[in-house]
Structures are given as structure tokens and as C-alpha cells.
Amino acid sequence: MEVSGMEFSTIDFPKKASTVIFLSGCNFRCSYCHNLENILKIKHSITVKEFLKRVDPLLTEAIVISGGEPTLQEEIIELAREAKDLGYLVKLDTNGTRPEIVSKILEYLDYIAIDVKCPFYKYRELTRCKENEEEIKNKILKTINLSLEAGVYVECRTTYIPKFMDSKDIEEIAKNINCNLYVIQQYDPTKAYDKRFREFPMPKREELEKLKEVAERYLTNVKIRCYW
Ligand code: SF4
């Protein structure tokens, strides 16, 4: 595997202490990405066995496979399997564009967090993805639906970017998806990759609460993730 880092965390797997592995590389270039240069540049080679040897089993209840976009590296299948064999809970963080890889590790996953970054018609503008609207929609919905069918707990999440998005966009997303939990996250402009996106404001808690109400017209379990 090529990885940009690993860290101990108490927030990346709900209510569990986890070790997070960040795999290098990404197929998106999101305008708001906070760490794109490192994600693309830092590539430490490590085998699955070497990584798992570095995990402290006395402190770790869960392994979180994150990135970048971890599904670009097929070794995550072996990683998820071996982590599960060792008795860890396993979570995958993904942008949802590789259902063909996700389908191969679902049997080892307990939790999957899938980005639904914006309404599908805005994806190209926000992420510079190669897929058109229909293609990106099909891939992400396929990842969500396969995960739900497999009985994995599915969190979908959107970082709400004021001025780039509005409440109609949140409604459009909520109408299209199905999940166990939908999270609307607060946007932080300070380290956005695209300078233009540093001009957009951080939304206030009250604004996110209103968006939560909009999403709740379509989804039963909606939360906001607010840092400030
Ligand atoms: S998918 Fe995530 S890691 Fe990749 S560019 Fe977007 S925000 Fe950054």
C-alpha cells in the first residue's frame, strides 16, 4: 500500500478508539480539500502485515481505512479482511466512486462513510471528476445501495459550502439518497485547495440546523457536524 500517514483517533469511528490509515492518492480534486498536496505527494510503502503490526491492540478497537481515496488501492481488500480476522471493527471512508472495489470488502466492514459532496449536477465543478452527472450519480448510488443491502451501517455526508450550495441542493441530495445516517458538516474555508473557495464563508450552526430540517423531510436520521 502507499500511505500518507496513520494516527490514533477517538472521533473517526463512533464511540470507539481507532487507528486510522490514510492511503495516498485521489481521483478527485475537490476545491475545498484541506490536504490535497500531501495526499498526492506523500507515498510511504507499507504492507498490510507491517501496518497491522504497528497498530496497538490494547488501544485500538477499530481500524479506519481513509484517504485520499482508499478504494484506488486494491490492497484495502486484504487490509479489511486481516483487520476483521484480528477482531477489529472496520470502517471505510470513501467518495463512493469505486463500487466494484467496495463490493469486495463489504463482508468485512461494519461502517462505511460515503461522501455525497453536492448535488450530482455540481460534481464536475466541485471535484473536477471525469464522470458526467449520470455516471457519477450511478456510481455513488450503487456504492450506497450495495452497502445497505450488505447490512453495513451507512453514513452519507455532505460538507455544506455557503454560496456554492443552498438549501435546494441539500433537498436534492436528501431526495436521492438512502442511508442509516445523513450528516451535514460545517465548511471550513481556511485551507481550501482552490483559492476561490477560501472566500466562501463558514456556515453558522443555525444555518446548518435549518438545513437539517430540510433533509429530515426525506431522511429519518439527520445530524449536523459543527466544529465552531
Ligand atoms: S475526495 Fe477527499 S481527499 Fe480527494 S480531493 Fe476530495 S476532499 Fe480531498
Side-chain angles (χ1 to χ4, degrees):
M1 296 180 289
E2 290 189 328
V3 307
S4 59
M6 61 184 277
E7 69 182 21
F8 179 73
S9 169
T10 53
I11 56 170
D12 282 272
F13 195 111
K15 299 181 184 165
K16 301 287 176 193
S18 64
T19 295
V20 187
I21 179 168
F22 299 97
L23 283 98
S24 309
C26 191
N27 52 342
F28 280 178
R29 299 289 180 269
C30 298
S31 299
Y32 65 83
C33 189
H34 279 186
N35 202 17
L36 190 57
E37 280 189 14
N38 286 340
I39 286 163
L40 299 179
K41 223 191 297 168
I42 302 176
K43 294 179 181 175
H44 302 293
S45 288
I46 189 168
T47 66
V48 166
K49 287 196 169 32
E50 283 165 350
F51 164 70
L52 288 170
K53 261 191 218 157
R54 292 190 191 184
V55 174
D56 185 340
L58 295 178
L59 297 175
T60 300
E61 299 167 280
I63 300 293
V64 176
I65 305 169
S66 192
E69 177 45 47
T71 61
L72 298 179
Q73 299 188 45
E74 297 205 9
E75 291 96 326
I76 65 165
I77 301 166
E78 181 191 345
L79 171 58
R81 184 177 57 238
E82 300 224 354
K84 182 59 45 186
D85 281 351
L86 290 170
Y88 294 116
L89 295 165
V90 183
K91 174 174 177 255
L92 175 69
D93 292 339
T94 176
N95 63 23
T97 53
R98 303 260 287 165
E100 67 278 16
I101 299 298
V102 171
S103 67
K104 292 183 184 161
I105 68 167
L106 284 170
E107 64 185 292
Y108 314 117
L109 292 185
D110 300 280
Y111 198 112
I112 184 167
I114 303 167
D115 294 333
V116 185
K117 292 182 180 286
C118 54
F120 297 114
Y121 77 95
K122 285 188 176 172
Y123 252 77
R124 272 202 158 169
E125 187 183 352
L126 181 65
T127 70
R128 299 176 206 176
C129 63
K130 295 191 180 80
E131 296 88 345
N132 65 30
E133 179 185 342
E134 208 47 38
E135 288 166 340
I136 203 80
K137 178 178 178 180
N138 288 341
K139 284 182 177 181
I140 292 170
L141 293 185
K142 191 168 180 190
T143 300
I144 293 172
N145 291 331
L146 285 171
S147 304
L148 287 169
E149 281 162 27
V152 178
Y153 192 91
V154 176
E155 172 188 320
C156 290
R157 54 192 184 184
T158 303
T159 298
Y160 180 71
I161 310 168
K163 298 202 171 165
F164 177 74
M165 298 163 77
D166 59 24
S167 65
K168 286 206 180 95
D169 288 334
I170 294 295
E171 182 166 16
E172 179 66 20
I173 294 168
K175 260 190 219 171
N176 273 288
I177 61 170
N178 191 11
C179 53
N180 301 103
L181 169 65
Y182 179 52
V183 181
I184 303 169
Q185 304 182 132
Q186 189 176 37
Y187 174 61
D188 176 358
T190 50
K191 293 183 197 146
Y193 165 66
D194 180 340
K195 280 188 190 138
R196 199 168 49 106
F197 275 66
R198 291 183 208 153
E199 306 299 320
F200 296 143
M202 178 183 278
K204 295 203 166 64
R205 179 177 288 274
E206 303 77 59
E207 195 174 352
L208 298 179
E209 293 285 1
K210 282 190 190 145
L211 295 170
K212 176 175 180 284
E213 286 171 21
V214 172
E216 280 171 341
R217 291 185 210 142
Y218 305 92
L219 297 164
T220 49
N221 189 15
V222 183
K223 288 189 178 149
I224 60 169
R225 199 166 280 148
C226 205
Y227 309 103
W228 299 100

